[in-house]
Amino acid sequence: MRLVLTGNYAAAYAAKAAKVEVVSAYPITPQTQVVEKLSEFIERGEMNARYIRVESEHSAMAACIGAAMAGARVFTATSAHGLIYMSEMLWWAAGARLPIVMGVITRAMAPPWSIWSDHCDLLSLRDIGWIIYFCENAQEVFDTIIQAYKVAENEEVLLPAMVGWDAFQTSHTAEPVDVLSPDEVSKYLPPRRPLPYVIDFERPFTHGSLCYPDRYMEFRYLMDLSMSKAKKAIVEADEEYGDLFGRKYGGVLEKYLCEDAEIAVVTMGVLSGDARYAVDILRKEGYKVGLVRLRVVRPFPSSELKKELKSKKLVCVIDRNISIGRGGILGTEIKALLKNSSANVVNVVAGIGGRDVSYEDIVNIVKRSLDLVEKGEVPEYMWYGIDKEYVVKAVGEYYEPPAL
Amino acid sequence: MESKIKFDLITPISYPGEGSAGATGSWRVFKPIIDREKCRKCLLCWLYCPEAAIRVSEENYPEIIYEYCKGCGICANECPVKAISMVEE
Amino acid sequence: MSHPLFKVIPKEEYFLPGTPACPGCPAALGLRLLLKALGPKTVIVIPACCSSIIQGAYPRSAIKVPLINIAFAASAATASGIAEALELKGIGDANVVVWAGDGGTADIGLQGLSGAAERGHNIIYVCYDNEAYMNTGIQRSGATPYMAWTTTTPTGKREIKKDIPLIVAMHRVPYVATAALAYPQDYVMKLRKAAAKKGFKYIHLLAPCPPGWRFDSSKTIEISRLAVETGTWVLYEIEDGKFRLTGPSKGLIDKSKRKPVAEYLRTQGRFSHLSDEDMAKIQKIVDENWEWIKRWLEG
């Protein structure tokens, strides 16, 4: 069935198609449409599910954890402050190995209040044991949420999964979406098995009690091991989905015109559409450019990225996030991957707090990056689009981040 | 197909059993001794034992499980006929 | 052999001996009795509190029913999720129980408690109130009483105890009750009553703590009894909005029937610094509470 849906409505349709049994959520802009639509589905009896209208995001994730421990397939969604407010429980969900799926509509953190997108909220949680997907458009949001259940519930994985998409540009932009019915999806996604455990009155157990240093470390090791296995599961889930329903996304990375490229632009999320258009323009101008879009941040596609990027002349990583004092998070990771290769990595921080990044900006970024590489002046990282006059007015002069 | 993964070993699952802190009787400084002559089998000592370290015999006499009794002295303090004395270990 | 007591308090133990609980621990006894009252089809949710330790360390557990540990502020919401999912799966007859300390109830967990109470999930929330953060070493909580010594109120707490059972009652839940360990039949009867009702139920159990309150481990029950006899702790239930005194508290409306509060306070090292004036003020707080109860009973 083809419907015109926003990214948020696509997410709600995906949760319905995945036969989610418990939804627990707290409203926050720009997530609200997801849970509004789900409450409609549930109240109209279109989903055999319970909706727990909690009093906070901390409780939203706690209720998801409880419901998952009782054997239900659960879903929630949040943004920015809601995500950070629930962060304690996100650690708990991962450590308890519960296959919860959560939509994260990325939004900049306050102060000052902002409702527009950047990825600082989501990427600040990259180290806690959740699988992290990131989508480019509403169709991918729909498909990825269903794939995420397949991966999270894989017995070799058993980790929760976040599926990210950008505030407004994806969350509130309507586009045609192919929607699968719950029956169609059931061919791909069977009912949740009681793994890794569910509350059982016949065989009582205690979960999560005090664990001494002689055993705690193995639990973290096993999470890390499962996360590394998740990569294969993600690729297979994408392949199988493609075989059944005709859409796939390249597993962990999507590549565009990469084969002969000397320059690779690396992006994530909605910027990728502009980046693809910028690649087309640059190609017409004679630049051998390609695009690598990260679809998954955890597990990090290290070997895939290294293989793709190691012999490029320029790898231009556009980060819609900033690790204050370190640079872009993806850029930092990719530089570490390529440290013994001939590739020059230019890390550009752009689009923070919803600042627009057009295809023209990306053309500019690539040309400037190339210029820096040719001059041998590659900085540790650089900000793109800063109003220098404002900075001079504020602190008396404009500083570039230190060059390498 | 049986999985090779032991799902209760990949996550911190504990199963019930006595002695979760070992033989806690070793903590004891004073040992409760029940005088069966005086005992009227009211079982208040059993009822109030915070450790479940008093069992009830077939004849409904309370019996201290010394392996686990920590010697808190609640049983002696609550016994209405003073049938339990606390003796230094 | 049967025994009249077993009719009220089953012989079967779901709390297994050899735990890490301190000698004379009221939380251990409270949980042991709770499990006897509710039986094996019970799942316990425990936030950070003394019972995180009392249950035993991985990979052993002293608790013979399903037990879920969860973050400090998260117990009521976690239980909400469990209750809804179990009902959806057709296991609506299980008892979903939160077993939380006063810090996890009156302070960090209050928002979650209020949310779950307002939503009316089928949960029994039990707070065992040892009147401070005992697991971390006796720090003051919102439930610490006026002038009690704690490690963060070294000269005594200047504020009065937060009244959680009444805060929960204001959510118009079907059942709220208080309990004391000296009166196990009253406590067990209230747990059973809670289990028989649908919706959110709340029981607040006073838990005199030997190391935290500074008294000998043999005195836990004696001090619990004194708390009730002096009227400092009132046994009551609010069933479908109807307030009723229970157990010995029924006979204590008349002030002359109550022992002086000083008899309770003098048993505990945490009150050893109290002046006569402080004692009188605490007596006044207790008496005022009874005046309030009297007015409530008179409608």
Side-chain angles (χ1 to χ4, degrees):
Chain A
M1 181 172 50
R2 177 161 274 222
L3 299 173
V4 176
L5 297 177
T6 63
N8 282 352
Y9 284 151
Y13 275 91
K16 181 184 173 190
K19 293 189 181 169
V20 162
E21 294 164 298
V22 174
V23 175
S24 172
Y26 184 81
I28 180 168
T29 301
Q31 153 264 34
T32 43
Q33 293 175 332
V34 181
V35 294
E36 287 164 2
K37 186 55 82 180
L38 281 167
S39 59
E40 279 175 39
F41 287 151
I42 293 170
E43 297 227 332
R44 286 206 301 254
E46 292 176 28
M47 287 173 76
N48 179 25
R50 300 282 175 106
Y51 187 158
I52 308 176
R53 294 157 182 89
V54 282
E55 78 298 334
S56 76
E57 287 90 355
H58 194 277
S59 287
M61 187 43 59
C64 284
I65 289 168
M69 283 181 166
R73 182 174 283 161
V74 303
F75 181 77
T76 187
T78 191
S79 286
H81 291 269
L83 182 71
I84 301 307
Y85 191 50
M86 69 163 62
S87 64
E88 181 190 24
M89 302 319 295
L90 297 174
W91 284 84
W92 211 284
R97 309 298 299 265
L98 297 168
I100 296 165
V101 174
M102 170 165 69
V104 178
I105 301 89
T106 54
R107 164 184 160 181
M109 293 294 292
W113 281 122
S114 168
I115 53 172
W116 295 278
S117 186
D118 69 37
H119 304 162
C120 293
D121 54 353
L122 177 62
L123 291 182
S124 74
L125 294 167
R126 68 194 179 277
D127 301 332
I128 68 175
W130 280 64
I131 292 162
I132 300 176
Y133 279 99
F134 211 97
C135 305
E136 186 184 335
N137 55 47
Q139 182 68 63
E140 192 184 3
V141 168
F142 179 89
D143 296 331
T144 303
I145 285 171
I146 292 165
Q147 291 187 15
Y149 280 107
K150 183 90 170 175
V151 174
E153 293 175 10
N154 182 313
E155 66 168 43
E156 300 216 53
V157 179
L158 294 171
L159 289 168
M162 298 186 207
V163 178
W165 59 95
D166 289 89
F168 299 106
Q169 289 159 302
T170 305
S171 69
H172 285 61
T173 304
E175 48 189 305
V177 176
D178 272 323
V179 172
L180 301 167
S181 70
D183 278 352
E184 286 171 299
V185 170
S186 66
K187 281 179 268 174
Y188 173 77
L189 184 68
R192 187 189 152 200
R193 292 157 67 202
L195 297 179
Y197 52 83
V198 300
I199 291 164
D200 183 352
F201 297 101
E202 303 297 315
R203 189 163 178 260
F205 62 81
T206 289
H207 184 275
S209 52
L210 181 73
C211 187
Y212 289 105
D214 64 356
R215 183 54 76 238
Y216 178 94
M217 200 156 145
E218 280 72 20
F219 293 125
R220 292 295 157 193
Y221 171 82
L222 288 164
M223 286 170 73
D224 193 40
L225 182 72
S226 296
M227 187 61 91
S228 68
K229 294 198 173 193
K231 206 192 284 183
K232 184 166 163 271
I234 287 166
V235 171
E236 286 173 2
D238 188 42
E239 286 291 324
E240 189 187 338
Y241 193 88
D243 293 345
L244 275 169
F245 306 124
R247 280 184 305 280
K248 55 181 145 184
Y249 296 92
V252 289
L253 295 181
E254 192 207 317
K255 289 171 268 187
Y256 178 64
L257 302 183
C258 282
E259 292 76 19
D260 64 336
E262 292 168 356
I263 300 166
V265 179
V266 182
T267 58
M268 189 170 88
V270 77
L271 283 181
S272 313
D274 291 284
R276 214 176 278 111
Y277 195 58
V279 164
D280 290 344
I281 290 172
L282 286 161
R283 283 263 169 188
K284 277 182 203 150
E285 293 180 19
Y287 295 91
K288 286 191 166 177
V289 194
L291 173 71
V292 174
R293 177 173 74 89
L294 271 96
R295 191 173 171 245
V296 175
V297 184
R298 284 292 180 278
F300 197 64
S302 306
S303 53
E304 294 81 355
L305 280 168
K306 195 169 180 180
K307 185 166 160 254
E308 198 55 46
L309 302 176
K310 66 173 191 284
S311 50
K312 304 290 184 221
K313 179 179 172 190
L314 165 65
V315 176
C316 184
V317 184
I318 303 175
D319 264 298
R320 197 175 203 178
N321 66 78
I322 173 67
S323 168
I324 306 281
R326 187 70 182 98
I329 289 167
L330 303 176
T332 302
E333 299 222 28
I334 289 169
K335 273 188 281 181
L337 272 183
L338 299 179
K339 65 180 187 297
N340 293 323
S341 76
S342 57
N344 292 289
V345 182
V346 176
N347 184 198
V348 180
V349 173
I352 302 298
R355 181 75 55 91
D356 192 36
V357 183
S358 67
Y359 65 88
E360 287 146 320
D361 290 323
I362 296 170
V363 168
N364 246 334
I365 285 169
V366 172
K367 287 182 177 174
R368 274 181 60 187
S369 300
L370 201 57
D371 190 43
L372 289 167
V373 169
E374 276 160 5
K375 286 187 190 149
E377 290 174 3
V378 174
E380 190 180 352
Y381 60 96
M382 57 194 238
W383 288 70
Y384 178 83
I386 291 290
D387 178 351
K388 293 183 187 176
E389 268 179 44
Y390 183 82
V391 175
V392 171
K393 201 166 141 192
V395 294
E397 59 187 304
Y398 180 76
Y399 302 86
E400 292 283 355
L404 281 174
Chain B
M1 200 180 74
E2 181 103 352
S3 175
K4 67 177 194 297
I5 301 167
K6 303 276 186 293
F7 296 101
D8 56 354
L9 297 184
I10 64 166
T11 176
I13 297 274
S14 306
Y15 290 107
E18 289 185 359
S20 56
T24 50
S26 64
W27 301 11
R28 208 166 46 232
V29 180
F30 291 91
K31 180 178 185 173
I33 309 280
I34 302 175
D35 182 348
R36 279 214 179 180
E37 301 287 300
K38 288 187 189 165
C39 176
R40 290 188 200 160
K41 305 200 278 191
C42 70
L43 296 184
L44 284 181
C45 56
W46 167 81
L47 179 64
Y48 285 130
C49 178
E51 195 56 33
I54 299 179
R55 71 166 83 85
V56 180
S57 77
E58 276 303 306
E59 303 81 37
N60 281 341
Y61 278 110
E63 293 175 350
I64 312 281
I65 307 169
Y66 288 111
E67 191 185 356
Y68 298 124
C69 167
K70 294 166 181 165
C72 72
I74 288 177
C75 53
N77 200 56
E78 291 303 318
C79 178
V81 293
K82 298 289 158 217
I84 305 178
S85 46
M86 299 301 289
V87 181
E88 200 166 345
E89 287 279 354
Chain C
M1 209 162 113
S2 74
H3 187 286
L5 194 52
F6 297 153
K7 288 197 190 83
V8 191
I9 319 268
K11 197 173 172 182
E12 179 72 23
E13 297 287 356
Y14 301 94
F15 183 95
L16 308 175
T19 71
C22 302
C25 175
L29 178 56
L31 184 53
R32 175 179 168 240
L33 292 170
L34 178 144
L35 295 169
K36 283 176 178 289
L38 300 180
K41 204 157 184 189
T42 299
V43 51
I44 308 281
V45 179
I46 297 187
C49 62
C50 287
S51 296
S52 314
I53 303 302
I54 293 165
Q55 63 182 266
Y58 175 88
R60 282 176 289 185
S61 176
I63 310 302
K64 230 170 116 178
V65 301
L67 191 170
I68 302 302
N69 287 284
I70 204 71
F72 219 158
S75 57
T78 303
S80 306
I82 293 173
E84 291 301 314
L86 287 179
E87 272 182 28
L88 190 80
K89 302 247 168 216
I91 317 172
D93 60 337
N95 300 303
V96 181
V97 176
V98 173
W99 177 255
D102 50 295
T105 302
D107 296 342
I108 194 170
L110 184 59
Q111 173 178 307
L113 165 62
S114 172
E118 180 266 332
R119 294 189 302 269
H121 301 288
N122 196 21
I123 295 170
I124 305 172
Y125 189 115
V126 184
C127 170
Y128 65 97
D129 181 2
N130 49 31
E131 301 193 322
Y133 291 87
M134 296 313 184
N135 197 30
T136 45
I138 326 172
Q139 292 82 26
R140 163 218 201 270
S141 82
T144 301
Y146 177 69
M147 282 317 281
W149 164 89
T150 69
T151 54
T152 53
T153 52
T155 59
K157 188 192 177 195
R158 296 300 193 275
E159 304 79 24
I160 61 161
K161 183 179 175 72
K162 198 191 280 190
D163 196 332
I164 301 300
L166 287 189
I167 291 173
V168 179
M170 289 302 120
H171 292 71
R172 308 288 194 267
V173 299
Y175 193 71
V176 172
T178 59
L181 288 168
Y183 307 98
Q185 285 94 332
D186 178 77
Y187 172 45
V188 163
M189 179 274 289
K190 286 169 174 167
L191 283 162
R192 292 222 174 95
K193 214 170 201 178
K197 283 182 177 292
K198 190 109 172 106
F200 191 92
K201 290 85 57 172
Y202 181 83
I203 293 175
H204 198 106
L205 173 70
L206 185 69
C209 166
W213 294 13
R214 299 289 190 248
F215 63 81
D216 184 81
S217 64
S218 64
K219 305 287 185 192
T220 304
I221 302 302
E222 190 178 315
I223 288 172
S224 167
R225 194 175 293 119
L226 273 171
V228 174
E229 289 172 345
T230 57
T232 312
W233 189 247
V234 185
L235 296 177
Y236 64 81
E237 60 183 11
I238 305 170
E239 194 177 354
D240 302 318
K242 182 115 182 75
F243 180 94
R244 192 174 78 87
L245 292 167
T246 71
S249 294
K250 278 189 286 195
L252 299 179
I253 296 174
D254 179 355
K255 191 185 170 182
S256 67
K257 300 284 195 294
R258 303 197 292 267
K259 289 182 178 173
V261 170
E263 278 189 35
Y264 170 66
L265 301 175
R266 287 204 180 97
T267 58
Q268 301 158 52
R270 64 174 174 158
F271 292 120
S272 62
H273 60 289
L274 259 56
S275 64
D276 289 347
E277 212 173 277
D278 294 329
M279 297 260 186
K281 178 140 187 210
I282 296 172
Q283 182 69 59
K284 192 162 166 274
I285 292 169
V286 169
D287 292 342
E288 279 170 2
N289 188 42
W290 278 95
E291 283 307 309
W292 193 87
I293 288 168
K294 217 152 94 182
R295 285 198 300 273
W296 200 0
L297 285 170
E298 286 159 1

